[in-house]
Amino acid sequence: MFYRTAGQFKTSYEADHALFPVRQDAYLLGFILLLAFVVFPLTASEFAFRALLIPVLIYSLAALGLNILTGYAGQLSLGTGAFMGVGAYACYKLLTIFPEMNIVIAIAMSGFFSAAVGVLFGLPSLRIKGFYLAIATLAAQFFLVWLFQKWAWLYNYNASGAIQVPNIEMFGITVAGPRAEAITQYYFVLCFVCAMTFFAINITRGRIGRMWKAVRDMDIAAELVGINLMRAKLTAFFVSSYIVGVSGALFVFLWRGAAEANLFDIPLSFRVLFIAIIGGLGSILGNYLGAILIVALPVIIGSVPEAFGIPIGSATVEHLNVMLVGALIITFLIVEPHGLARFWAMIREKLILWPFPH
């Protein structure tokens, strides 16, 4: 009834492969965008922006980049945190060397530096795959974090070894830095995430996306039917690292405000990987569902006991969060390997048939 498809006829090949084959999907997306652009900014508090909305968007974008590489192209990676760091440091240096540069251009260009590094460390994928490729990307993680610490030029020889985000204005409005308002940064991040998501949806539905999926399912068969494995894999590393690099720049400039090299260490890579696994590999929607769960979980653990008058310490909240995330990963890998996105797909299928049983 809610997803009734009666009367929605497809009379052309283009209509059959449209972005929204069911009209209600477009309505649902419009409702979500209405919430994101109108309702949340009018109702959310400063805490909600800083602790929930902005980090959900940034982590979703990072997981989207990882999902393109792992979920769509089948190339394992454990270096997402380091590639986010490349984007953050590249954006910092661009704005330091060219202080008049627009921050939108700086963030967009920082993704290309991350993409170049990603392609460089993606070259081993032409010879190795699976567990061995994961170890190679893990080596990239350790090397890049070490480079962030030892190459003082990256943080302008600051004695603290950290990069500090200055106040950055665009059209007379402060969008980054200590004076920036949370709602301004939220809109800035939201627009970037929407643009990157639109790009990812279209590239995964087109010829390049089909090429990635063929390599993921069976690379030998893909090569036999004429797919260039080197081009397919390195393209996946390039696009994935670009999106991850942009998310890293947003991570520091529009949320954290400052960063040290340790911020991009292996725990960040695992957190993005957990979001992709729980949300569902090979899914665009799953990145957002996984990020909502992972980011909101510590807030829920800390606020629910306090609402019932039960005292709970910050260390206990952290331990419970780690335990619950681990339990969720194991549960999803056993019960539903395709994550939360698959649960929504099953609900959608039921709504299309409801109230009929078959």
Side-chain angles (χ1 to χ4, degrees):
M1 180 178 181
F2 297 107
Y3 262 83
R4 182 175 295 167
T5 57
Q8 299 186 32
F9 302 108
K10 308 295 187 299
T11 57
S12 65
Y13 182 85
E14 290 78 10
D16 193 45
H17 289 77
L19 182 60
F20 301 108
V22 179
R23 192 179 301 120
Q24 286 84 342
D25 289 335
Y27 297 154
L28 180 60
L29 178 61
F31 176 71
I32 293 173
L33 291 177
L34 180 67
L35 289 177
F37 280 95
V38 180
V39 177
F40 290 159
L42 292 177
T43 58
S45 63
E46 181 85 8
F47 172 79
F49 282 121
R50 301 289 186 190
L52 288 174
L53 297 177
I54 294 177
V56 162
L57 291 174
I58 294 174
Y59 279 122
S60 300
L61 188 60
L64 174 62
L66 177 62
N67 226 329
I68 285 179
L69 182 64
T70 303
Y72 284 95
Q75 308 301 303
L76 298 180
S77 175
L78 296 177
T80 309
F83 296 136
M84 290 177 69
V86 173
Y89 279 95
C91 186
Y92 179 71
K93 292 304 297 184
L94 284 172
L95 291 174
T96 301
I97 299 172
F98 308 102
E100 300 301 322
M101 180 180 288
N102 189 296
I103 187 174
V104 175
I105 298 175
I107 292 176
M109 289 184 62
S110 65
F112 288 105
F113 290 90
S114 180
V117 175
V119 170
L120 178 64
F121 285 100
L123 290 175
S125 67
L126 305 178
R127 292 286 183 177
I128 58 178
K129 57 184 178 180
F131 174 76
Y132 301 100
L133 179 59
I135 296 300
T137 57
L138 186 62
Q141 168 73 49
F142 292 138
F143 171 75
L144 289 173
V145 172
W146 173 85
L147 189 65
F148 299 154
Q149 293 173 332
K150 301 301 181 182
W151 195 5
W153 179 80
L154 290 175
Y155 48 84
N156 289 341
Y157 304 96
N158 193 339
S160 64
I163 55 176
Q164 301 285 337
V165 178
N167 291 305
I168 301 173
E169 293 187 357
M170 191 172 66
F171 305 117
I173 301 173
T174 304
V175 297
R179 294 204 307 263
E181 295 184 1
I183 188 171
T184 304
Q185 293 181 314
Y186 168 74
Y187 270 121
F188 191 96
V189 173
L190 180 61
C191 292
F192 248 105
V193 171
C194 288
M196 289 289 104
T197 303
F198 179 77
F199 167 73
I201 289 174
N202 281 279
I203 198 171
T204 53
R205 293 177 70 247
R207 178 180 59 84
I208 297 176
R210 292 192 295 271
M211 182 172 62
W212 289 341
K213 294 173 187 176
V215 174
R216 175 196 64 190
D217 294 339
M218 187 174 291
D219 55 353
I220 297 177
E223 189 175 21
L224 289 175
V225 298
I227 293 176
N228 188 325
L229 292 186
M230 181 182 72
R231 181 182 177 186
K233 292 181 179 181
L234 294 185
T235 304
F237 270 97
F238 182 90
V239 175
S240 170
S241 300
Y242 179 85
I243 296 175
V244 168
V246 169
S247 71
L250 295 173
F251 182 71
V252 173
F253 279 77
L254 276 301
W255 182 35
R256 302 303 292 252
E260 295 182 353
N262 291 335
L263 181 64
F264 305 104
D265 216 340
I266 192 69
L268 179 60
S269 296
F270 280 130
R271 189 170 199 185
V272 176
L273 179 62
F274 295 160
I275 291 173
I277 292 175
I278 292 176
L281 293 174
S283 165
I284 301 293
L285 174 63
N287 304 303
Y288 296 92
L289 299 178
I292 290 172
L293 180 62
I294 293 297
V295 173
L297 194 58
V299 179
I300 295 172
I301 295 173
S303 59
V304 171
E306 292 179 359
F308 289 96
I310 303 173
I312 183 170
S314 58
T316 306
V317 172
E318 183 65 26
H319 293 319
L320 288 174
N321 181 48
V322 173
M323 293 168 60
L324 288 176
V325 169
L328 285 171
I329 292 172
I330 295 173
T331 302
F332 276 107
L333 288 176
I334 295 174
V335 178
E336 184 49 75
H338 294 94
L340 292 170
R342 178 56 187 162
F343 280 128
W344 162 245
M346 290 189 293
I347 293 172
R348 180 176 175 275
E349 291 171 2
K350 295 294 183 182
L351 289 175
I352 290 176
L353 295 176
W354 189 82
F356 304 105
H358 304 291

